[in-house]
Amino acid sequence: MKRIRIAIYMRISKEDAGEGRSDKESGSIRMQRLLLKQYVEEHFEVYDLEEYQDV
């Protein structure tokens, strides 16, 4: 089976951006990652996953 390259993109929320989190990952990023990974796992069998964030 052919491997598919999949990229997920997560963007920090306005609420989390105002908290000045430089050392911790925001709650919005964690939730987006969880939902996106869940979708990929449910719809693709063999894949390489890349993550991108706008912080």
Side-chain angles (χ1 to χ4, degrees):
M1 184 171 276
K2 184 178 176 182
R3 290 187 80 79
I4 298 172
R5 269 181 73 193
I6 299 173
I8 58 175
Y9 174 75
M10 297 157 288
R11 185 175 174 107
I12 195 165
S13 71
K14 290 180 183 179
E15 293 81 19
D16 285 346
E19 293 182 14
R21 295 174 180 246
S22 59
D23 60 334
K24 292 185 179 178
E25 186 173 79
S26 76
S28 66
I29 294 290
R30 278 194 305 274
M31 183 55 72
Q32 289 173 62
R33 177 181 290 115
L34 177 70
L35 293 171
L36 290 167
K37 282 186 171 183
Q38 183 179 13
Y39 179 87
V40 169
E41 290 171 359
E42 290 174 1
H43 290 86
F44 301 94
E45 290 183 19
V46 182
Y47 57 88
D48 293 320
L49 189 64
E50 297 178 25
E51 292 186 11
Y52 298 93
Q53 297 181 35
D54 184 14
V55 292

